[in-house]
Amino acid sequence: MKTNANTHIVVIGNGMVGYKFCEKLLARKKNDQEFMLTVFGEEPRVAYDRVHLSEYFAGKTADDLTMAGQEWYIENGIRLFLSDPVVDIDREEKLVRSHHGHVVHYDYLVMATGSGAFVPSIPGVEKDGVFVYRTIEDLELIQAYARKAKKGAVLGGGLLGLEAAKALLDLGLEEAHVVEFASRLMPRQIDDAGSKILQSQLESLGLNIHLAKSTQEIVGNDCIKGMQFVDNSFLDVDMLVISAGIRPRDELAKIAGLETHPRGGIVVDNGLKTSDPYIFAIGECALAHHMIYGLIAPGYEMADVVANALTGVEKEFLPYDMSTKLKLIGTDVASFGDPFIEEPACKTIRYENKAKGIYKRINVSPDGKELLGGILVGDAEQYNMLLQTCKNKTILPPDSEDLILGSRGGEEAGLGVMSLPDDALICSCEAITKGMLCQEVGEKGNNSIDLLKKSCKAGTGCGGCVPLVKDIIQGVMKQNGQYIKTVICEHFDHSRQELLDLVKMNILKTYGEVLNEYGHGDGCEVCKPVVASLLASLWNENVLTKDRAPIQDSNDRYLANIQKGGTYSVVPRIPGGEITPDKLIVIGQVAKKYGLYTKITGGQRIDLFGAHLNDLPIIWEELIDAGFESGHAYGKALRTVKSCVGSTWCRFGVQDSVSFAIEIEDRYKGIRAPHKFKSAVSGCVRECAEAQSKDFGIIATEKGWNLYVCGNGGSKPQHAQLLASDVDKETCVKLIDRFLMFYIKTADPLTRTATWLNKMEGGLSYLKAVIVDDLLGLASAFEEEMQTLINNYKCEWKEVVDSPELRKRYNHFVNVPEKDPTITFEEMRTQKRAKEWV
Amino acid sequence: MEPTQNTKDRITWHLACNVNDIPEDGGGTALIEGKQIAIFNFTRRGEWYATDNECPHRQQMAIGRGMIGSQGEEPKVACPFHKKTFSLKSGDCLNDEGYKINTFPIIIKENQVYIGL
């Protein structure tokens, strides 16, 4: 197919696949090829990432989800009509007519009309409070209605249904239900056993799951009041989201007389041509190989096939692998190859751990040589490797159960990524093979994820292949004999640990000295905070003195946390969460005087938001006068030592947890580390302080204290692990000294203790050997170093308040005393909030 | 160049501040003709730069509080909010092609910093 300057390509539909088609077509365009491109979209927005739609409720904005802004279309000369669906195609004259009456001629037409929600014909689906889950507009409607609703249900327990259920949880409904017609969740992806594990995981998060339920009627007058099922049971809900599958948008194709399938979908051949050779169909509206491909990767592949065809390259759309991996409400679910094949056509290996919520199944060929497919629930870390092994028909090791269980003989299990053939597809969204990546890394030197994203777009789609791409980078570099270490950035060819040793041995105290001695170039926003952190960890001098203020990261730079709109928040230290009424009053007075929004933090402190940069020194002056100190909420340092009330009041408490928490917080306050660290002390095994979710946590026992380390809350929660039990206070403190110093000296930048331990060779047993058994003979050095840091502690805010030189930097403008005039607030629940950013 | 009306370039030079008002290898913000201008004292390179103070990513007045550095030979500044980095020479965003900030001519005369608007 040849195009010329007058060739006009019209795309109907501005969804992810329609957008991808434009992107791929432009990328493939050669100098001598020209064409005009016109896009019609039904929705009022430019194409956005529908795959991550549920993140809209978790805080992402419509902007965050946009694939490319309107300016991208303008820059590339694409005419874009939004809110303007095509309503008619005249195939004789090759014209399309839009809803607003635009008539456009085409030489080639690409239909990317996508799909809509499938709504089953249940009586009552038209009632208020019944929604579908497909577009940002749907989400806005759901969000608005959910404000007055208490109990919500989702009809459909498939992939989309569970995404919608997550949305209901995010919206904070009191009850959230999932109703599925089949006898298991995600019936297309996982088996009964996998479904049971997934169900118990979801139930533990507060979802109510109803399986094998056939809905007879949606009950209510104008608004939904509940769901009546065929088995006579009834579910009392006041809103319902229908997510029972998709229906290809083929109505326009039907009007135009194109061949469509009775069950929906525009029929296309292997080149994705419809029954009219000048019209293509791609994405979820197209029926290729007798099926609708309802995933993003095959949609992108279709876009690529047609972009190829229109630039003169023949390419076929081959039956596409429908393997999927996703995170559903915090639980990994994956299926690949043929997940359901049964014996005797295969040998099935199953692993189930109900306590941990993990289910794994692999189907191996009867001769044990090939992987045919499988299912992973709860832990899908091996998904990429298994998928590749399956797709490439790699010969399996003799003990194929090692693939999912890990080898129990010491050696690393499974097959390394470098054993894959060169044509193994690694990034399926952008169709990039292992061979292509090896070439990019080995020959062109694109040896980081960022460089590869730029050079070949690997990992820019769903992002699922990124861990595998990292492994390939490391593999290729290893093969080429390159020494792999994690250097800080382009300015330092050292790891953080190496640089720390060098700075310590040579007693360097400023960034300039460190850069002159061991770096090159002028530094950047990566290495400056790293060096700032090690200088602080080594010498514990004020972070703003000498040349150190401009090398601090955003928050450390002004000893406060920068917030939306450019104001700062202030967190005074409240050790152990214990505070006197007088101090509480002072916080209230200061907040009132400077117009601050106040909120209790997760760490038993009080956060004061909305402070102007100019006001920070005077706010702190007043707080310090009342006996407060910096809480270091802005630093990669000890945040808070949370405590339960313990034996002084609690009838169950066995030790005085508050006193110990205050002691610990005072001991380690202000000490900088590779990342922030948190702690807690519980007064008994009931663990009300949640010490096991902290970087180090202490739990009282009848005989003393148990010390746990390397726990984490946040996005990747991890329980802390027991380092020592029934130790006395002095021993406990010594162990923490050693633990923290070992962490400070060896962790990579911005690595929390949990990740540090996960990466540590030898894991917890090695950590124990170093900290408790003093394997390296460094224990007393660690204790001494910690004591030096503690002795050097000064409240850095007091130093700023007392220094006119440092105070001077707290002006928004250098030439006038005014505060930033662009800062505005909005009112909310009688307090204020930052203005939403545009 | 004289800090006065320059008819050829149609630039008006404005006194912004004293050189000591901007920390070495750091930045600050000046209010000039109602406009917020970020000023950088790149001592290490012996260079001064002036740009918009507003980061176009989220329209935050914060570039002047950003960290400066280099990418290859290119001098750059990172916005403290989301670390979008901009060339101090061209104003182009170096890690997200969609954005750009304005840069302004800057001269130092008798320890005073002048910005051309």
Side-chain angles (χ1 to χ4, degrees):
Chain A
M1 250 165 268
K2 280 278 174 225
T3 55
N4 60 47
N6 297 322
T7 303
H8 199 160
I9 298 166
V10 172
V11 182
I12 306 180
N14 187 226
M16 296 176 80
V17 172
Y19 161 77
K20 198 50 136 187
F21 167 75
C22 297
E23 187 193 289
K24 295 210 177 226
L25 187 68
L26 292 170
R28 294 198 56 85
K29 185 166 92 166
K30 300 183 193 79
N31 288 335
D32 59 337
Q33 289 175 328
E34 281 195 37
F35 39 71
M36 294 206 307
L37 196 50
T38 303
V39 176
F40 287 95
E42 181 182 58
E43 288 185 59
R45 298 167 200 279
V46 288
Y48 54 86
D49 183 354
R50 220 183 289 278
V51 174
H52 296 104
L53 201 56
S54 65
E55 290 173 19
Y56 183 76
F57 288 139
K60 282 217 174 177
T61 64
D63 252 9
D64 295 333
L65 295 172
T66 299
M67 308 286 294
Q70 297 234 17
E71 63 282 357
W72 180 85
Y73 296 85
I74 296 166
E75 278 161 21
N76 287 295
I78 300 172
R79 280 205 296 171
L80 176 66
F81 295 97
L82 294 176
S83 300
D84 197 11
V86 169
V87 291
D88 195 20
I89 305 171
D90 180 344
R91 288 165 51 203
E92 294 273 300
E93 298 292 325
K94 294 171 109 179
L95 295 172
V96 296
R97 183 167 57 81
S98 77
H99 176 69
H100 288 308
H102 293 284
V103 176
V104 177
H105 171 263
Y106 67 84
D107 294 292
Y108 294 102
L109 185 62
V110 178
M111 302 195 65
T113 45
S115 64
F118 165 71
V119 180
S121 53
I122 301 166
V125 286
E126 73 293 340
K127 290 192 199 312
D128 280 353
V130 181
F131 301 91
V132 295
Y133 187 82
R134 194 68 196 148
T135 65
I136 289 186
E137 278 65 35
D138 295 335
L139 265 59
E140 283 171 344
L141 292 173
I142 291 171
Q143 198 169 26
Y145 200 88
R147 284 191 200 115
K148 51 180 181 172
K150 289 193 173 132
K151 301 172 182 178
V154 173
L155 185 63
L159 198 152
L160 283 171
L162 295 180
E163 282 283 326
K166 173 175 187 330
L168 292 188
L169 283 179
D170 285 343
L171 285 169
L173 291 187
E174 282 173 18
E175 274 182 31
H177 300 265
V178 173
V179 177
E180 167 59 46
F181 179 75
S183 58
R184 64 171 187 263
L185 293 168
M186 301 185 72
R188 281 159 186 253
Q189 283 86 15
I190 61 176
D191 59 9
D192 286 336
S195 167
K196 286 207 176 83
I197 293 280
L198 178 62
Q199 182 175 353
S200 63
Q201 290 297 99
L202 298 179
E203 281 169 346
S204 73
L205 290 164
L207 275 180
N208 302 289
I209 312 275
H210 311 271
L211 298 173
K213 286 279 178 196
S214 176
T215 311
Q216 191 170 41
E217 194 188 344
I218 293 164
V219 186
N221 291 327
D222 294 332
C223 304
I224 174 171
K225 288 272 188 308
M227 299 165 77
Q228 176 65 52
F229 301 113
V230 174
D231 63 5
N232 270 332
S233 56
F234 184 83
L235 183 63
D236 178 16
V237 289
D238 42 24
M239 72 183 290
L240 173 67
V241 177
I242 295 180
S243 194
I246 57 170
R247 184 181 49 78
R249 297 285 302 272
D250 59 3
E251 64 275 14
L252 178 63
K254 272 189 196 150
I255 296 170
L258 297 172
E259 189 190 340
T260 55
H261 192 273
R263 282 202 306 273
I266 308 168
V267 178
V268 292
D269 63 13
N270 290 358
L272 303 176
K273 262 187 218 147
T274 64
S275 52
D276 180 328
Y278 298 100
I279 303 181
F280 297 86
I282 57 176
E284 290 180 341
C285 66
L287 186 90
H289 307 294
H290 311 289
M291 66 181 284
I292 299 289
Y293 286 89
L295 291 177
I296 192 59
Y300 280 5
E301 172 65 13
M302 288 183 182
D304 194 55
V305 168
V306 177
N308 267 282
L310 292 177
T311 49
V313 181
E314 286 300 321
K315 185 177 170 187
E316 273 196 14
F317 178 76
L318 302 170
Y320 205 90
D321 182 73
M322 292 298 276
S323 304
T324 38
K325 175 192 157 191
L326 60 158
K327 206 173 201 72
L328 280 168
I329 322 180
T331 304
D332 280 332
V333 178
S335 77
F336 56 93
D338 187 343
F340 301 123
I341 185 171
E342 290 284 348
E343 292 178 15
C346 71
K347 284 194 265 182
T348 296
I349 301 168
R350 287 192 174 86
Y351 166 75
E352 190 174 329
N353 184 336
K354 282 190 176 144
K356 287 190 173 165
I358 294 172
Y359 172 73
K360 298 179 185 186
R361 163 183 176 166
I362 51 171
N363 308 317
V364 179
S365 63
D367 62 6
K369 290 201 170 138
E370 270 179 39
L371 181 59
L372 302 176
I375 295 166
L376 304 169
V377 177
D379 171 13
E381 215 172 301
Q382 295 123 330
Y383 169 76
N384 278 317
M385 237 6 263
L386 290 172
L387 174 63
Q388 293 298 338
T389 307
C390 176
K391 271 195 199 168
N392 294 294
K393 305 197 177 345
T394 315
I395 302 292
L396 296 181
D399 297 318
S400 43
E401 68 272 19
D402 287 358
L403 289 173
I404 50 172
L405 297 179
S407 162
R408 290 154 313 282
E411 282 284 298
E412 190 55 33
L415 305 155
V417 64
M418 295 314 280
S419 68
L420 295 173
D422 274 353
D423 59 0
L425 193 63
I426 304 294
C427 172
S428 41
C429 297
E430 296 288 340
I432 293 163
T433 62
K434 181 199 155 205
M436 291 155 77
L437 285 169
C438 289
Q439 202 180 359
E440 288 287 334
V441 177
E443 289 165 28
K444 300 187 192 160
N446 292 316
N447 53 13
S448 73
I449 294 287
D450 279 348
L451 288 172
L452 286 172
K453 278 185 175 173
K454 271 195 182 153
S455 72
C456 65
K457 292 205 160 223
T460 54
C462 68
C465 64
V466 168
L468 213 49
V469 175
K470 276 189 185 158
D471 288 349
I472 290 178
I473 296 174
Q474 296 235 327
V476 173
M477 291 177 72
K478 228 179 199 167
Q479 275 180 357
N480 294 353
Q482 283 166 287
Y483 170 51
I484 306 161
K485 63 173 180 182
T486 2
V487 300
I488 294 168
C489 68
E490 65 172 270
H491 305 105
F492 287 95
D493 302 325
H494 296 288
S495 68
R496 179 185 177 278
Q497 188 179 352
E498 288 167 351
L499 198 59
L500 180 132
D501 289 337
L502 291 168
V503 171
K504 184 176 184 210
M505 278 185 300
N506 295 284
I507 320 181
L508 303 182
K509 297 201 168 176
T510 67
Y511 177 75
E513 288 169 350
V514 179
L515 185 60
N516 286 339
E517 291 291 322
Y518 301 108
H520 37 81
D522 305 311
C524 68
E525 73 282 0
V526 176
C527 59
K528 284 183 170 181
V530 171
V531 173
S533 156
L534 17 129
L535 291 174
S537 288
L538 284 170
W539 317 120
N540 207 6
E541 296 180 344
N542 191 296
V543 297
L544 299 183
T545 55
K546 304 197 179 156
D547 74 352
R548 290 182 296 237
I551 64 164
Q552 303 298 334
D553 212 342
S554 316
N555 294 341
D556 267 323
R557 170 80 196 267
Y558 292 103
L559 307 182
N561 296 47
I562 193 165
Q563 305 291 357
K564 219 183 240 182
T567 60
Y568 288 83
S569 64
V570 169
V571 186
R573 189 167 293 290
I574 300 177
E578 182 184 84
I579 186 163
T580 62
D582 282 339
K583 278 189 159 180
L584 268 177
I585 288 168
V586 170
I587 289 185
Q589 285 167 336
V590 167
K592 252 186 156 169
K593 186 165 169 189
Y594 298 97
L596 307 176
Y597 166 81
T598 51
K599 185 177 184 310
I600 310 282
T601 72
Q604 304 185 334
R605 320 204 271 187
I606 299 171
D607 207 339
L608 312 170
F609 290 80
H612 284 273
L613 181 65
N614 302 40
D615 288 339
L616 286 173
I618 184 71
I619 289 171
W620 272 106
E621 189 171 346
E622 294 190 21
L623 290 170
I624 286 166
D625 283 348
F628 284 104
E629 287 185 311
S630 168
H632 297 93
Y634 46 80
K636 306 298 176 210
L638 176 69
R639 293 293 165 85
T640 192
V641 181
K642 190 172 168 178
S643 70
C644 68
V645 73
S647 59
T648 51
W649 290 94
C650 174
R651 69 188 194 279
F652 299 114
V654 294
Q655 306 267 5
D656 180 1
S657 46
V658 179
S659 297
F660 199 14
I662 294 173
E663 214 172 291
I664 294 284
E665 185 158 343
D666 275 332
R667 182 170 180 82
Y668 302 113
K669 66 188 173 192
I671 286 166
R672 297 295 209 282
H675 211 310
K676 65 180 173 187
F677 57 103
K678 303 179 177 184
S679 179
V681 183
S682 277
C684 77
V685 287
R686 282 171 190 77
E687 239 288 67
C688 295
E690 297 166 325
Q692 287 167 98
S693 67
K694 305 296 183 188
D695 295 274
F696 64 95
I698 301 163
I699 302 175
T701 67
E702 298 282 352
K703 298 176 201 152
W705 306 89
N706 283 353
L707 176 60
Y708 293 80
V709 291
C710 301
N712 203 349
S715 63
K716 252 192 136 181
Q718 185 168 319
H719 274 136
Q721 301 188 56
L722 187 64
L723 188 75
S725 37
D726 294 328
V727 291
D728 58 31
K729 257 190 187 182
E730 290 68 33
T731 313
C732 191
V733 166
K734 267 187 184 176
L735 292 174
I736 300 168
D737 280 2
R738 298 174 190 176
F739 166 72
L740 287 177
M741 275 325 292
F742 189 44
Y743 165 63
I744 286 171
K745 296 184 102 167
T746 60
D748 282 333
L750 301 180
T751 304
R752 291 287 296 270
T753 56
T755 316
W756 171 65
L757 178 63
N758 295 346
K759 284 187 184 168
M760 191 181 289
E761 276 185 43
L764 183 71
S765 42
Y766 179 70
L767 184 67
K768 257 189 189 166
V770 174
I771 305 299
V772 184
D773 308 327
D774 197 11
L775 175 76
L776 303 176
L778 289 171
S780 57
F782 285 158
E783 289 168 31
E784 279 165 33
E785 284 163 334
M786 180 55 81
Q787 196 54 52
T788 312
L789 292 181
I790 292 165
N791 294 344
N792 284 356
Y793 168 82
K794 291 191 188 80
C795 171
E796 52 204 10
W797 258 114
K798 184 165 186 340
E799 292 179 289
V800 172
V801 165
D802 292 344
S803 156
E805 185 64 21
L806 292 175
R807 276 182 93 134
K808 182 185 148 190
R809 298 294 181 204
Y810 285 84
N811 277 323
H812 181 69
F813 295 115
V814 292
N815 58 339
V816 287
E818 270 101 280
K819 300 171 185 174
D820 182 356
T822 64
I823 290 173
T824 46
F825 301 101
E826 288 164 9
E827 205 192 285
M828 189 182 231
R829 292 184 291 277
T830 77
Q831 293 204 72
K832 65 183 181 188
R833 54 157 293 173
K835 200 177 138 214
E836 194 50 56
W837 47 32
V838 261
Chain B
M1 254 186 288
E2 284 296 310
T4 52
Q5 181 88 24
N6 183 329
T7 44
K8 197 177 154 210
D9 296 321
R10 294 182 183 282
I11 288 175
T12 310
W13 292 99
H14 299 269
L15 172 64
C17 58
N18 189 279
V19 292
N20 297 326
D21 293 329
I22 311 292
E24 291 194 353
D25 287 314
T29 305
L31 186 66
I32 299 171
E33 298 283 296
K35 206 173 156 53
Q36 298 200 15
I37 307 287
I39 299 172
F40 301 98
N41 176 4
F42 214 142
T43 324
R44 194 178 162 81
R45 297 166 66 110
E47 293 164 359
W48 285 77
Y49 293 99
T51 70
D52 284 332
N53 190 37
E54 185 181 81
C55 177
H57 171 227
R58 288 296 190 196
Q59 278 80 45
Q60 302 288 304
M61 286 294 182
I63 298 287
R65 300 180 204 169
M67 252 182 280
I68 56 174
S70 65
Q71 180 170 322
E73 284 304 303
E74 196 74 12
K76 63 170 180 175
V77 58
C79 174
F81 274 89
H82 306 97
K83 300 281 157 67
K84 298 281 176 204
T85 57
F86 300 91
S87 160
L88 287 170
K89 283 187 170 158
S90 66
D92 289 334
C93 184
L94 302 173
N95 53 5
D96 192 337
E97 281 163 21
Y99 301 105
K100 189 177 169 70
I101 54 175
N102 292 308
T103 59
F104 305 97
I106 180 166
I107 52 169
I108 309 299
K109 203 171 156 62
E110 288 161 359
N111 279 331
Q112 301 293 333
V113 181
Y114 295 87
I115 310 289
L117 290 183

